Amino acid sequence: MCGILGGDKKTWDYESGIEAISHRGPDMRRVLREDRFSLAFARLSIIDLSEAGMQPMTSADGKVTIVYNGEIYGYGDLKVRLGKKYQFVSASDTEVILNAYMEYGDEFIDYIDGIFAIAVYDRRNQTVRLFRDRVGVKPLYYFYDGRHFGFASELKAIERMLDTEKLELDYTAIYDYLTYAYVPAPKTMYKNVRQLRPAHKIIYRITDRRISKQRRYWELTINDRVGRYRKDEALVDELRALIHKSVHEQMIADVPVGTFLSGGVDSSIVTYEALSANPDVESFSIGFDDKQYDESSYYKEFTKTFGNHSNEQVFDRGIYTDLYKELKNWYDEPFADTSAFPTYLVSKLAKEKVTVVLTGDGGDELFGGYEWYRQVYQPSVFWDSASVSRLYENYVSFDSPFYNSMAIRLFCETLQKACTGRGYMSKQEKIQFAKQWGIPRDYDDYWFLREYDRKDLPLGTRMLYLDFRTYLPEILTKVDRASMRVSLEARVPLLDKEIIEFAFSLSQEERCPGGEMKHMLRRAYPEIPKMIMYKSKQGFSIPKKYMGNKASPTKKILHEVWKIK
């Protein structure tokens, strides 16, 4: 929902900046220019389609204004509580956020859950406060050069807003892209532009032009125990109740809502629950002309079983060729997840009928859906637990003598992929780029991993948490840009705050007893055909032959799309 932008320099082009992200909000645009700070908004109308729901939205006393991208859920009780003191003039969730800030200050964030990027301009103390949702579903970038400050939903809006001011490339960020296939927060490809990290806030003080350090406002408690302590049936019942609640809350909108249905466990569960809220909900799916990648038989089995109306399109090489050069327009900086192409196509298909879709994103990272976790839960007869742990401790030490063994090399690479989101380039492959771009020899390629690597956790939980923090952001970036490019809001009910906290309250054996991936989700929904629930994990990727030759997508996209050599 929507695009937001703001800044403190009078000569910046706010109209051009917000126009650059009008695809995020095609229904209406508005710019509020003031001497101290300006705000801009592009609206995708979803809740309260009237003028009363438009932004920038200012408090009744005229002292606080907000712009906000996203949705919050289950805010009915909060609105009732606030209604005892504040008069609401709209049915929008925006006004709930605004009045919650008026009442609780920065602590308002503890009272809301959802997907959001929020900017609060408080004239009482001349500050601008930025908040990003707990997982990082909605993007938020900010520019700061020591003299001026600005923010926007996408990089292209900052580029256009700054107009003639030149942004300098940060080659360490582009080098990081070679490791992760995207640029990890807080970096961007520009030196003076940063991403606000998920679950963080910052405060910019307008009077002295000073920005505070990023501060985390939400901490995730993680179960560090091994073994099973709670009855499986009780856990399964609790999980199902949480998913039911989340999906039903996220079905609320004043526009049509559908689902993405891939034929996998997660999207099937979300679609099943969506049908329980609205039997007429439509699903949208993508098949492939290459049978090795095609999962149409699974989503067709779901449709056959539950009778929902399904919309589908087949992805082929011709579509890939047409879309290939669009990557730069979608993502603004190097991004190499080629599943962006079918994600864009299914978004475009859905937009023909709905404005909001529910997706199954997050299920793999919360409940152990990736095949590489089997190396932990079902270790090979050649590896005992101590060996696995020892290899994991050295997952970036490819110069060690152990790495010369092909078997150990393959095993190390499996763990490496789990830790880096499929590790697109090894350090050895990147040497030429490091020399060319002046990257220091002692540069830590894996700083992003180390930041979230919890060595105090059991290995299975440790890998899961690392993927949640370092691989999931890539998926969320992919879906947000691809869906919002066609003005479609993608909601993620499995990433509800309560579901996340439940998932990480599980021990690794409770999560995947006997090494069964996604055990909890499968047990919770026995109605869904076993053909779907017990099929092998298959990613939403395009056939490798579409890329041509044997070129690495990471390198190919950097050279051909972003023209960075």
Side-chain angles (χ1 to χ4, degrees):
M1 167 188 165
C2 312
I4 62 174
L5 177 142
D8 69 346
K9 191 171 183 179
K10 292 182 180 180
T11 58
W12 282 347
D13 192 344
Y14 299 104
E15 287 79 6
S16 181
I18 199 65
E19 182 184 15
I21 51 174
S22 59
H23 53 276
R24 298 189 74 92
D27 297 331
M28 192 182 301
R29 293 201 300 272
R30 182 175 293 166
V31 176
L32 175 64
R33 282 183 173 269
E34 294 191 6
D35 287 342
R36 292 289 188 118
F37 207 87
S38 296
L39 297 170
F41 181 70
R43 185 182 191 187
L44 177 62
S45 302
I46 291 176
I47 293 179
D48 189 346
L49 311 185
S50 72
E51 174 67 22
M54 184 58 181
Q55 304 177 40
M57 185 177 287
T58 301
S59 59
D61 62 7
K63 294 179 180 178
V64 176
T65 301
I66 75 168
V67 287
Y68 144 66
N69 167 33
E71 302 286 347
I72 61 171
Y73 310 116
Y75 55 86
D77 290 344
L78 176 60
K79 184 174 182 178
V80 170
R81 195 182 322 157
L82 293 169
K84 296 175 182 178
K85 183 175 178 179
Y86 300 90
Q87 182 177 358
F88 285 83
V89 298
S90 76
S92 71
D93 53 346
T94 307
E95 193 173 10
V96 176
I97 296 173
L98 175 59
N99 286 331
Y101 174 79
M102 298 298 293
E103 182 67 14
Y104 303 115
D106 284 2
E107 282 66 44
F108 84 93
I109 204 73
D110 298 328
Y111 293 85
I112 66 171
D113 183 27
I115 53 177
F116 52 79
I118 301 170
V120 180
Y121 173 28
D122 194 333
R123 297 171 183 81
R124 297 171 299 186
N125 50 30
Q126 289 300 309
T127 60
V128 174
R129 290 165 150 78
L130 303 184
F131 302 83
R132 192 176 178 199
D133 66 62
R134 292 169 177 83
V135 187
V137 178
K138 290 300 174 183
L140 189 53
Y141 297 85
Y142 63 93
F143 167 86
Y144 180 61
D145 63 358
R147 296 173 296 116
H148 294 287
F149 174 83
F151 67 85
S153 294
E154 296 184 17
L155 270 177
K156 61 172 63 67
I158 290 179
E159 292 171 339
R160 291 271 291 274
M161 177 178 70
L162 298 186
D163 196 17
T164 57
E165 296 185 33
K166 186 172 179 60
L167 291 168
E168 185 179 353
L169 289 177
D170 180 352
Y171 280 101
T172 68
I174 299 171
Y175 183 75
D176 288 338
Y177 153 81
L178 299 177
T179 303
Y180 305 102
Y182 72 106
V183 178
K187 290 186 180 183
T188 74
M189 67 184 293
Y190 297 121
K191 288 185 176 180
N192 288 333
V193 184
R194 289 290 179 261
Q195 301 179 58
L196 185 61
R197 294 173 187 255
H200 277 70
K201 72 170 187 177
I202 58 171
I203 301 173
Y204 175 67
R205 304 188 184 281
I206 299 172
T207 50
D208 55 9
R209 297 181 179 179
R210 182 169 60 86
I211 191 170
S212 70
K213 186 178 181 181
Q214 289 192 36
R215 201 188 85 186
R216 179 177 290 280
Y217 64 79
W218 176 66
E219 294 291 345
L220 181 59
T221 301
I222 306 172
N223 189 335
D224 61 1
R225 302 173 75 183
V226 296
R228 300 178 71 179
Y229 303 91
R230 292 168 287 181
K231 289 185 178 180
D232 201 48
E233 293 76 10
L235 291 173
V236 165
D237 289 345
E238 182 179 353
L239 175 58
R240 179 159 178 152
L242 289 173
I243 294 174
H244 177 86
K245 176 175 175 282
S246 178
V247 171
H248 280 242
E249 286 181 347
Q250 297 193 30
M251 288 288 290
I252 296 174
D254 295 328
V255 293
V257 179
T259 72
F260 284 167
L261 180 61
S262 68
V265 172
D266 307 323
S267 65
S268 295
I269 288 174
V270 169
T271 301
Y272 176 85
E273 286 288 5
L275 287 167
S276 74
N278 175 13
D280 296 324
V281 73
E282 298 197 29
S283 61
F284 302 89
S285 307
I286 291 293
F288 290 90
D289 62 345
D290 187 323
K291 296 304 179 184
Q292 183 181 348
Y293 291 80
D294 185 56
E295 292 189 283
S296 61
S297 61
Y298 298 102
Y299 62 71
K300 287 177 180 177
E301 178 67 18
F302 182 96
T303 301
K304 177 183 173 183
T305 303
F306 298 108
N308 61 299
H309 189 274
S310 176
N311 304 266
E312 63 176 318
Q313 187 170 349
V314 175
F315 189 93
D316 59 32
R317 186 192 291 268
I319 293 173
Y320 162 75
T321 302
D322 291 340
L323 295 179
Y324 181 60
K325 295 298 175 69
E326 292 298 315
L327 270 179
K328 189 173 184 178
N329 294 329
W330 298 346
Y331 293 96
D332 299 338
E333 59 184 348
F335 187 82
D337 187 341
T338 57
S339 64
F341 301 116
T343 302
Y344 171 82
L345 190 64
V346 74
S347 298
K348 187 177 180 182
L349 177 66
K351 183 61 180 178
E352 295 174 3
K353 293 189 175 183
V354 301
T355 306
V356 176
V357 291
L358 308 188
T359 82
D361 293 318
D364 290 315
E365 292 78 12
L366 293 181
F367 297 100
Y370 296 121
E371 288 300 314
W372 53 70
Y373 297 146
R374 294 186 191 280
Q375 300 287 353
V376 176
Y377 292 104
Q378 298 175 344
S380 163
V381 294
F382 297 105
W383 307 104
D384 57 27
S385 297
S387 299
V388 172
S389 297
R390 193 161 55 248
L391 286 168
Y392 181 81
E393 292 292 340
N394 297 288
Y395 60 77
V396 296
S397 301
F398 292 116
D399 295 329
S400 69
F402 291 107
Y403 194 59
N404 294 327
S405 163
M406 180 57 70
I408 296 180
R409 175 175 178 172
L410 291 173
F411 198 84
C412 282
E413 286 180 349
T414 299
L415 291 176
Q416 174 78 350
K417 289 177 182 180
C419 297
T420 65
R422 295 181 169 80
Y424 286 83
M425 279 196 192
S426 70
K427 192 172 182 67
Q428 199 66 26
E429 290 177 297
K430 293 179 291 185
I431 287 178
Q432 61 175 3
F433 294 98
K435 292 179 179 178
Q436 183 177 333
W437 297 336
I439 306 299
R441 294 187 64 180
D442 61 351
Y443 184 82
D444 183 5
D445 294 41
Y446 303 101
W447 64 268
F448 188 50
L449 297 183
R450 296 186 204 284
E451 182 169 338
Y452 297 107
D453 184 16
R454 290 278 304 272
K455 296 181 179 180
D456 58 309
L457 299 175
L459 187 54
T461 302
R462 180 179 176 183
M463 291 172 66
L464 192 86
Y465 179 70
L466 201 54
D467 275 344
F468 178 75
R469 290 299 192 191
T470 64
Y471 182 43
L472 182 60
E474 176 194 348
I475 296 170
L476 298 177
T477 296
K478 172 192 70 180
V479 176
D480 175 81
R481 304 307 190 280
S483 60
M484 290 305 294
R485 192 66 195 178
V486 297
S487 308
L488 178 76
E489 178 173 280
R491 298 178 178 176
V492 283
L494 295 183
L495 290 173
D496 174 86
K497 175 176 174 285
E498 288 186 300
I499 296 176
I500 294 170
E501 291 174 341
F502 169 83
F504 281 100
S505 77
L506 302 170
S507 70
Q508 64 180 22
E509 286 76 18
E510 287 172 335
R511 184 183 301 110
C512 300
E516 182 189 345
M517 304 295 99
K518 288 193 177 175
H519 167 84
M520 299 293 296
L521 292 173
R522 287 169 170 151
R523 280 290 309 278
Y525 289 89
E527 309 97 315
I528 298 176
K530 290 185 178 180
M531 169 185 174
I532 295 171
M533 300 300 273
Y534 289 90
K535 76 181 188 67
S536 298
K537 171 69 179 175
Q538 184 171 334
F540 195 47
S541 56
I542 66 171
K544 294 179 181 178
K545 63 184 179 183
Y546 289 179
M547 296 298 294
N549 302 319
K550 296 183 179 179
S552 159
T554 310
K555 188 185 300 184
K556 180 180 174 74
I557 288 171
L558 185 70
H559 291 337
E560 295 184 4
V561 178
W562 270 269
K563 309 297 184 184
I564 297 175
K565 304 296 184 181

